[in-house]
Amino acid sequence: MGNSFTCISHEEEQRPTKSSAGRGKGGSKTRKYMRRLSLSCSGSSSTSSSKKGVIRPKKKIRERHHQDHHGHDKNSHIIQEQTLAATNLLFNQTPRNSNYVVPPNFRQSTSSSGGSGPVSAVQSPKKSTCGFVRTSSSRRKSSVNPVIKPNQELKKVEVSETKRFVLVHGGGFGAWCWYRTITLLEKHGFQVDAVDLTGSGISSTDTNTITSLAHYSKPLLHFLESLKPNEKVILVGHDFGGACISYAMEMFPTKISKAVFISAVMLANGQSTLDLFNQPLGSNDLIQQAHIFLYANGKKNPPTAVDYDRSLLRDFIFDKSPPKDLALSSVSMRPFPFAPVVEKLHVSEKNYGSIRRFYITTMEDCAIPVPLQEAMIKLNPPEQVFQLKGADHAPFFSRPQSLNRILVEIAKLPFKKSS
């Protein structure tokens, strides 16, 4: 299980071409100076001057401004962005209608307390950076292309069953990890809420005291219970958050329009998360090394929480994510409870089975490898599967805009009448 973030759009650089305007005979220095001064003060949209005194059309000015922004001001822009993100997320931005987040993983420890490529089917077997061989999928692929071109924007959603998303973080994360997704979805007309599960984010609960999936999911359940009688939401779960939204689907089937699993635990009835990772497909050396078991009740008793080895976060979860998102996660993640990991999920066809499910596969994932994701899909088939190329276990960081496109596509799928 894992976490991380960011996406950098690559804009095609344009070289400004020299204009012959303003080089005619008879133009005195004083006249040129007065003309440039007049243009700069009046905000004329026709022409402007460069620092060499050459009159250029407005279009060229925009190109120059674009280059300056991505050239000389690049470093200051990155610093400002990092500062704003860290400040807003860690101190000012309280998760919407919820609490904050925590991080976890699996390896024994002496600690006794919790301290864009296109969306398509895989064309041929390819070995991932995690050492797994990817297999082809016969499931229906998405028609959306997650590659975002510079300045390309999605149209605001016009028709959908609901315009409200509820985002549920994975193990060790918190509502803070969704900051990019929240911004993008709201920009396109959606209402977005991100919850902090118990013991995660800004929650003051000690992770070691959480003893059940119901306890861990309590903030999410309270949120759904507070919705208006006829209001529905699109429920999105990442990582271990998949088990939490599955539990909520069984408890509040009439409140959920669609459920989206993003590289998430998607359990079948009677299955636990530990059962999944005990399969040969769900284990590798990196997974075992990255997780650390915590024993708040002593080593003679079962573990109480799971944490991540911070030195392995980059390789395990954030392999494709920007350094600033890795840094944010390193100081924000908390351990996650162990009891819900071993708890078997019990769901029914009447409740859980009545909700439309969608799965988003992250193709460069080392925390929940592609073979394990495909095994979950095969055992418990959703309505549709999307493949997000170039995404690590934290697509909200590594491929935020591509992820947003898929979420918008899912939201716009027409209402499916029951037969």
Side-chain angles (χ1 to χ4, degrees):
M1 297 188 272
N3 321 319
S4 117
F5 62 100
T6 90
C7 175
I8 301 176
S9 62
H10 303 282
E11 297 191 16
E12 193 175 324
E13 294 186 10
Q14 301 180 17
R15 296 182 179 178
T17 58
K18 294 184 178 180
S19 170
S20 61
R23 294 183 180 179
K25 297 180 179 180
S28 67
K29 291 184 179 180
T30 302
R31 193 170 300 167
K32 287 182 180 180
Y33 172 78
M34 293 304 294
R35 185 178 184 185
R36 291 200 301 273
L37 180 61
S38 175
L39 288 173
S40 63
C41 294
S42 63
S44 171
S45 60
S46 59
T47 59
S48 180
S49 62
S50 70
K51 54 189 176 182
K52 289 186 178 181
V54 179
I55 306 301
R56 289 191 171 90
K58 182 179 178 181
K59 180 177 180 182
K60 299 302 180 182
I61 298 175
R62 288 177 178 173
E63 292 178 353
R64 190 173 194 84
H65 175 73
H66 174 77
Q67 286 188 329
D68 289 342
H69 176 70
H70 291 280
H72 302 296
D73 295 336
K74 182 177 179 181
N75 292 334
S76 62
H77 175 72
I78 294 175
I79 294 173
Q80 290 176 7
E81 185 178 358
Q82 291 175 340
T83 303
L84 287 174
T87 302
N88 290 334
L89 293 175
L90 296 178
F91 301 102
N92 299 328
Q93 183 179 339
T94 301
R96 307 180 184 189
N97 298 325
S98 81
N99 326 28
Y100 248 37
V101 187
V102 198
N105 290 58
F106 298 41
R107 183 180 44 142
Q108 287 193 356
S109 168
T110 56
S111 174
S112 61
S113 62
S116 245
V119 173
S120 61
V122 182
Q123 296 180 351
S124 61
K126 184 185 293 185
K127 193 169 184 179
S128 71
T129 56
C130 307
F132 290 98
V133 176
R134 299 184 192 141
T135 59
S136 60
S137 173
S138 61
R139 298 202 58 78
R140 180 184 174 188
K141 64 181 180 180
S142 165
S143 60
V144 74
N145 186 339
V147 176
I148 305 293
K149 296 180 180 179
N151 301 323
Q152 178 182 353
E153 292 187 1
L154 291 165
K155 294 181 179 179
K156 288 189 176 182
V157 62
E158 296 177 355
V159 179
S160 62
E161 187 178 356
T162 178
K163 293 184 179 180
R164 190 170 190 178
F165 278 90
V166 177
L167 310 178
V168 182
H169 63 83
F173 290 93
W176 52 266
C177 73
W178 297 108
Y179 78 96
R180 291 177 182 270
T181 304
I182 291 172
T183 302
L184 291 169
L185 288 174
E186 287 184 341
K187 181 179 179 181
H188 294 102
F190 292 97
Q191 180 180 352
V192 190
D193 299 276
V195 302
D196 281 315
L197 299 172
T198 307
S200 304
I202 61 172
S203 171
S204 59
T205 302
D206 181 359
T207 307
N208 295 287
T209 64
I210 300 172
T211 58
S212 68
L213 187 58
H215 188 188
Y216 186 49
S217 307
K218 194 173 182 179
L220 172 61
L221 303 180
H222 281 178
F223 177 87
L224 294 174
E225 189 176 21
S226 69
L227 294 175
K228 297 176 181 179
N230 297 322
E231 187 175 9
K232 289 191 174 185
V233 301
I234 299 173
L235 200 54
V236 180
H238 169 251
D239 186 73
F240 188 49
C244 298
I245 69 170
S246 295
Y247 186 84
M249 290 162 67
E250 180 66 22
M251 298 295 292
F252 296 96
T254 61
K255 301 287 188 180
I256 304 166
S257 170
K258 301 180 181 81
V260 185
F261 294 75
I262 304 175
S263 181
V265 171
M266 188 169 66
L267 302 173
N269 184 43
Q271 191 177 36
S272 72
T273 301
L274 188 62
D275 292 336
L276 282 177
F277 284 90
N278 277 338
Q279 301 178 50
L281 292 175
S283 180
N284 60 44
D285 292 340
L286 184 57
I287 290 178
Q288 295 176 6
Q289 294 170 11
H291 291 86
I292 303 173
F293 286 113
L294 305 177
Y295 298 83
N297 299 325
K299 282 203 168 184
K300 291 184 178 180
N301 295 302
T304 52
V306 185
D307 200 357
Y308 291 114
D309 185 334
R310 295 300 191 271
S311 68
L312 296 176
L313 282 181
R314 160 63 73 183
D315 294 336
F316 186 57
I317 298 173
F318 307 108
D319 182 51
K320 305 297 180 182
S321 298
K324 61 184 177 183
D325 290 330
L326 170 61
L328 174 64
S329 301
S330 297
V331 299
S332 303
M333 296 180 74
R334 296 170 56 183
F336 61 93
F338 181 72
V341 174
V342 299
E343 181 178 334
K344 294 185 182 298
L345 178 69
H346 296 286
V347 294
S348 65
E349 188 63 27
K350 179 181 178 181
N351 294 343
Y352 171 88
S354 67
I355 301 171
R356 302 173 69 182
R357 285 182 293 115
F358 303 85
Y359 200 96
I360 300 177
T361 303
T362 45
M363 304 306 294
E364 300 293 337
D365 198 325
C366 293
I368 300 184
V370 173
L372 182 57
Q373 294 180 57
E374 293 182 339
M376 289 187 287
I377 292 168
K378 183 177 180 180
L379 181 63
N380 188 19
E383 178 180 325
Q384 190 170 347
V385 174
F386 297 81
Q387 293 183 350
L388 194 52
K389 290 186 177 180
D392 55 25
H393 190 59
F396 33 77
F397 293 150
S398 58
R399 290 294 182 269
Q401 296 200 50
S402 298
L403 175 61
N404 178 66
R405 288 181 63 86
I406 296 176
L407 292 176
V408 171
E409 180 184 354
I410 292 173
K412 295 175 68 174
L413 290 175
F415 177 74
K416 192 173 183 180
K417 295 181 179 180
S418 55
S419 55

